[in-house]
Each structure stands twice: as C-alpha cells, then as structure tokens.
Amino acid sequence: MSLRILRDVSAKLEGTPYTIMVDETTDASTQEQVVIVLRWVDEDLEPHEDFIGLHITASTDAKSIVAIIRDVLVRMNLSLTNCRGQCYDGAAVMKGCLSGVAVQLTQDEPRALFTHCYGHSLNLACQDTIKDIIPIKYALDTTFELSKLLKYSAKRKSEYKRLQAEMAPQDPGFRTLCPTRWTVRAASLQSVMQNFSVIQSSLDSFADMAKRDPEMSARCTGVAAQFSSFDFLFGVALGEKVLKLVDNLSKALQHKKMSAAQGQVLAELTIKSLALMRTEAEFSNFWEKLIEKQSKEDVAEPSLPRKRKRPCRYDEGSSGHFATCIEDHYRVMYFSAFDMAIQSIKSRFDQPHYKIYSKLECTLLKGAAGESYTDDLSSIQELYCTDFDSNILQTQLLILYSHFRETAVTPALMDVVDYVKSLGKPGQLLLSEVVKLIRLILVAPATNATSERTFSALRIVKTYLRCTMTQARLNHLLMLHVHKEACDSLDLELCIDDFCRESEHRRNIFGSM
C-alpha cells in the first residue's frame, strides 16, 4: 500500500519543478533518522509537500546526507535538474558555505536555490533579541523554573490548582514554558500576568511544603523573590508584548501552502507592526498599565540601578550616561527591545538566494502592474533560460496587465495566482509561460514545518514498546500514517494484486483479483 502511494507521488512529480526539504532527528531506539520531504505545485497551482521516507544514517555529515538525497531521487525516478529549491535549518552541515549540503547540490544544479527555513530564522531572531534585553531574559528563565516546579511534582501542581480555584477560578491556568521553541512563549508570559497573585501564593506554599528539603525550599524561595521584583514584572510584560507578534508570525509561516514569497510579505507586516508599537504613546500606555499592575500585586517599587564605575580599560575620561528618572530608565529598555526585534528579523530574513528568487516575483508583479521589469527579467533569464521562453512571457504579461489595469489596484502575488486559477485550463494555456513562472515562485517553501510534523508522527508510530521494528516496516507504516487521505482512497484490489504478484508462491495460494 505504501509503495503504491510512493509510485503515485513519483508519477505526479515527473517533469515538475520541486524543492527538497530535509531534517534529522533521533527516534525511540536512538537511531539517527533523516527525513525527506518534496514540495511541488500541481496543474491547479496548488502547492503540495509530500513525505517520501526516513533513512538511517551513521553519520550526519554533509557527504552522507547528500548521498541519501541522491539515492532518494534515483529511487523516485526524479532528476536533480528539475530541483528548483532547497529548504533546511541553519546548521553548518546543511548551510555551510564551503561544503554544506546546499552548496554541494547547488554546484550540480544552480537553480536549486537554498532557503534557510523561516521558522528557524525567526527562532534565531527571537534568541538574538531576548539575550540582549536582560529583563526579558531573566523573566523567561524564572518562568521556566516555575514550569519545572509545577511539571515535575503532582503535589505542587495540585496545590496550585487548589489556590487558583479559591482565588481566581475564572482565570485560565498557568501555561508551561517550552524550553526549546522560542516563538511560542508569549502565551506562557501572558498566563503569568493573569495568574500573578495565585503564583505568588503558590510559591509561598511550595516553600512551606519543602521545609525538609533545603534545596527545593531554596528554589521556591528564589523564584518567589524574583516574582516580588519590579524588573521581573517589567520583563514579563515587555516580553509578552514583543513575542506575541512574533508568535503570530511563526504560526502563519508554518502553513503547508505558504511560499517563501508570501513568508517575506508576512515578515514585512510583522516588522511594521513592531514599529507601530515603538512609539512614545505606546510606551506611556504600557508604563501606566504596568504601574497599575504593580500597585495591585505584591511587587516592589521600581528603582534606578546603582551607578557603576566604568572599568579602567574602557574609561575615556567621560562621566557616562545615567538615567535620572525611573521611567526614562525603563523607556530605554522598551525601545531597545523593539529595535532589536525589528533588526534581527530583517537580518535573518535577508537571505542571499532569496534576492535571486525575488526577481521572479518582481518580474511577475511588475508585468501585471504595467511597470518596467526589464532589469529583473534579464537578471533571471540566464539562470532560468530553459524554464520559460522570455519572449512569449513578455507577450503574456501584457495580457495579464490588460486585466489588472481595469481593477485600478496594484496586484499582489495571490491576486495574480487567483486570477490565473479562475481562467481554468483553457485560460492557463493562454498564459502558459506565466503559469510556469508562478509555479517557480510557489515551489519555494517558507518553512520546513512538514518535516517537523513527520517527527511527531514518528513518535506515534515508533514508540518505546515498538522500537525493534525494521526500517522498512517503519517507513511503510509512517507513509500510511502521514498520507492518510491517499491511504483511504487506495484501490485495495490493486494492492492485493500487487501483493500476489510478488512471488509465485503467493499467486498459487491467493490467485489474482
């Protein structure tokens, strides 16, 4: 059954541009597994991301992974010359500028442009921001420590739930902070703000419950001390304000049909939203609510930090700058957080290969809007010379412009895609070169999230109690699990026929359908 699904995928991919997506993980039997996913665009201009299989590797160096990729393409009867993209994480093995997987494949097929997964890029941007804004960093560390106190003790968790039912039954409970995913932490910080009084009372109870365990009592007391400081409250509130926009972007980028071009548009919108929050009016509103929250909770008054003498090696004779007003001191950190977030997202999403890829989009959109696209077309013409006919493309872009000129609206990518879809098959023949251009744009994914979802399926199929299954059986079961719709639509009589034809012995026993 799984092989029939693979054959169907292979048939659909024949002669079609595709993108290779690769990631690695360790399964329940501590074996390193490399997952292969291929992204392609069908005749209706709908993107698909299909899981192809898992492969055990003794080494995760670039040479081994490239060998696995080539082996998969041969088995799928696919040519590397049809590869138009690569999407991996930012590890040196995958991204390395000298001998990484992306570099080795690009040397054989220059049109296989590499995209550093936007999900990983966004995680790194958040990491850059948080490690430079100390109050947010400490707030997250303390929240993670609280998560461990609740997660690893049923007794403490029951005590917290009892206090919450007494003090704030209408409020949602505390949401555990994920230690590895940087872009899902806004919800945890928000739950801290909503349950601040309950958490403070719980920490006091935890310290009393752990009197016979000095180490645990000290941990509970230390977390309680952090909760009573104004810097912690400021870090939680500011972290929630910054991370909720980034979290929203992360969720949007993980959609299966999201292309790299659409991902860049969403990143630009998020940057603009962060810039709107970096204003004096927004800070005044934030500070007012923060002081109101501080007055209601058992939190110390804000104060200026102690003036520190500059080290002699950095002393240039100047007295240095010290804030004279408490509000000014925290205003600097507020603006620095948004500045750092904006700059980090910009730098992480500004990828070298995307500049080439964006020329495809610029050619399409400028042609549809009636603007000059000669420079963009000439810059991609040499690279994509066999993918489309530039002379016919220019003629068809005039047809596209004739439609959008009547709407008096500057078309976006999805406006053009929706219009071409609405024409149906006959209309797409009229705009055949435009369709090819659209498929080249949509085939580049925004994230490698499908590979991550496959890891979740792997933990369901290969568990501790079923960790001795062979690799072939694991691949077949996982293929059926991931491709649920294709599995449900299989013609079982054909599958039985395939099974019987495997050997003479089976044909003698079962015959044929």
Side-chain angles (χ1 to χ4, degrees):
M1 291 168 68
S2 66
L3 290 175
R4 181 163 286 276
I5 293 175
L6 269 179
R7 292 189 197 104
D8 291 342
V9 173
S10 176
K12 292 174 183 175
L13 280 165
E14 187 175 355
T16 302
Y18 62 87
T19 290
I20 301 171
M21 302 161 69
V22 179
D23 210 342
E24 310 97 41
T25 190
T26 304
D27 63 17
S29 58
T30 64
Q31 290 181 319
E32 191 71 26
Q33 299 277 7
V34 176
V35 62
I36 307 290
V37 175
L38 297 180
R39 179 184 172 97
W40 57 285
V41 181
D42 63 19
E43 294 179 354
D44 297 323
L45 301 182
E46 289 292 334
H48 299 269
E49 293 180 0
D50 289 326
F51 165 70
I52 301 302
L54 290 169
H55 296 265
I56 294 178
T57 177
S59 174
T60 55
D61 61 344
K63 184 179 179 180
S64 301
I65 295 175
V66 169
I68 290 173
I69 293 173
R70 293 183 184 279
D71 179 64
V72 169
L73 295 180
V74 170
R75 291 174 184 272
M76 291 289 291
N77 196 26
L78 298 176
S79 173
L80 186 62
T81 56
N82 288 328
C83 181
R84 293 295 176 270
Q86 304 174 68
C87 186
Y88 319 126
D89 58 25
V93 170
M94 310 303 294
K95 187 185 176 182
C97 58
L98 296 178
S99 60
V101 173
V103 173
Q104 292 188 40
L105 292 181
T106 305
Q107 288 173 351
D108 293 338
E109 179 47 70
R111 292 169 292 184
L113 302 180
F114 168 65
T115 300
H116 181 192
C117 170
Y118 289 171
H120 288 88
S121 298
L122 192 60
N123 289 346
L124 293 172
C126 288
Q127 188 174 356
D128 294 340
T129 302
I130 290 169
K131 73 180 182 182
D132 284 353
I133 308 301
I134 301 302
I136 300 179
K137 181 178 182 296
Y138 287 168
L140 285 170
D141 290 343
T142 304
T143 305
F144 180 50
E145 186 65 28
L146 174 64
S147 299
K148 291 191 291 184
L149 290 175
L150 291 173
K151 182 178 180 180
Y152 298 115
S153 172
K155 193 174 181 180
R156 287 193 292 270
K157 194 170 185 178
S158 298
E159 177 66 12
Y160 168 76
K161 288 185 176 180
R162 183 186 69 79
L163 289 172
Q164 186 193 16
E166 291 179 1
M167 300 174 63
Q170 73 285 354
D171 291 337
F174 171 71
R175 185 164 182 176
T176 303
L177 183 67
C178 179
T180 55
R181 297 174 64 190
W182 285 89
T183 52
V184 290
R185 302 195 168 186
S188 181
L189 295 179
Q190 183 181 10
S191 68
V192 170
M193 294 295 287
Q194 292 172 339
N195 298 273
F196 208 90
S197 300
V198 178
I199 293 173
Q200 284 185 316
S201 301
S202 299
L203 289 169
D204 294 336
S205 298
F206 296 166
D208 293 336
M209 290 163 57
K211 284 183 178 179
R212 295 184 180 180
D213 186 350
E215 183 180 350
M216 183 56 64
S217 179
R219 285 176 62 188
C220 297
T221 303
V223 175
Q226 287 294 321
F227 266 78
S228 63
S229 69
F230 182 82
D231 278 358
F232 173 77
L233 181 65
F234 174 80
V236 171
L238 181 57
E240 179 199 351
K241 197 173 181 69
V242 175
L243 292 176
K244 65 183 180 182
L245 281 171
V246 181
D247 186 13
N248 185 57
L249 174 60
S250 176
K251 290 178 181 177
L253 289 174
Q254 292 173 28
H255 195 278
K256 268 189 174 184
K257 296 185 178 181
M258 184 69 61
S259 67
Q262 293 168 300
Q264 288 282 345
V265 172
L266 297 184
E268 286 294 330
L269 289 174
T270 301
I271 290 172
K272 290 177 182 177
S273 301
L274 288 168
L276 288 175
M277 299 174 74
R278 190 202 176 281
T279 61
E280 189 63 38
E282 284 289 335
F283 172 75
S284 299
N285 185 38
F286 169 79
W287 182 255
E288 183 181 342
K289 290 181 179 178
L290 191 64
I291 295 299
E292 182 181 351
K293 179 73 173 176
Q294 178 268 327
S295 63
K296 293 179 180 178
E297 308 293 349
D298 184 16
V299 177
E301 294 284 339
S303 60
L304 288 172
R306 179 173 64 87
K307 292 183 180 180
R308 299 177 182 272
K309 184 179 179 181
R310 181 178 295 180
C312 294
R313 62 183 180 275
Y314 298 135
D315 191 4
E316 299 174 351
S318 60
S319 58
H321 173 74
F322 297 97
T324 57
C325 173
I326 293 175
E327 188 174 342
D328 290 342
H329 171 66
Y330 288 99
R331 180 185 284 107
V332 172
M333 288 189 284
Y334 178 90
F335 287 125
S336 297
F338 285 100
D339 288 339
M340 193 65 195
I342 291 170
Q343 185 57 40
S344 296
I345 294 175
K346 282 182 177 179
S347 61
R348 292 288 181 180
F349 277 68
D350 185 21
Q351 302 179 17
H353 278 187
Y354 179 76
K355 295 176 182 178
I356 303 172
Y357 165 80
S358 65
K359 299 293 184 181
L360 295 169
E361 185 186 8
C362 290
T363 301
L364 178 66
L365 297 183
K366 288 181 179 179
E371 301 174 4
S372 175
Y373 54 86
T374 306
D375 294 339
D376 297 310
L377 181 59
S378 60
S379 62
I380 62 174
Q381 197 168 358
E382 183 178 351
L383 184 63
Y384 295 97
C385 57
T386 60
D387 286 324
F388 54 81
D389 189 316
S390 59
N391 294 323
I392 299 177
L393 176 64
Q394 294 180 56
T395 303
Q396 294 181 359
L397 286 175
L398 285 175
I399 300 173
L400 206 61
Y401 169 60
S402 66
H403 166 74
F404 285 103
R405 183 179 58 177
E406 298 175 358
T407 62
V409 177
T410 303
L413 174 61
M414 292 315 297
D415 295 329
V416 178
V417 174
D418 291 339
Y419 170 67
V420 175
K421 282 183 182 180
S422 67
L423 296 177
K425 294 292 177 63
Q428 290 181 21
L429 291 175
L430 180 67
L431 300 174
S432 58
E433 300 304 310
V434 170
V435 169
K436 291 178 183 178
L437 193 61
I438 291 174
R439 293 174 78 177
L440 288 174
I441 295 171
L442 295 181
V443 78
T447 64
N448 198 9
T450 300
S451 299
E452 304 286 351
R453 295 188 187 100
T454 305
F455 297 155
S456 300
L458 174 63
R459 285 190 285 270
I460 295 172
V461 175
K462 189 171 186 178
T463 62
Y464 174 77
L465 297 177
R466 295 195 298 177
C467 65
T468 58
M469 69 173 70
T470 63
Q471 186 70 11
R473 177 174 174 79
L474 172 62
N475 263 313
H476 295 158
L477 291 175
L478 199 57
M479 182 66 62
L480 298 178
H481 179 82
V482 172
H483 297 270
K484 290 185 177 68
E485 294 181 2
C487 179
D488 292 338
S489 62
L490 282 175
D491 187 336
L492 293 183
E493 291 189 1
L494 293 177
C495 294
I496 294 171
D497 232 12
D498 290 342
F499 176 77
C500 294
R501 286 202 305 267
E502 285 285 328
S503 68
E504 186 69 27
H505 180 65
R506 292 178 186 172
R507 282 198 297 270
N508 293 334
I509 295 176
F510 301 108
S512 59
M513 299 298 293

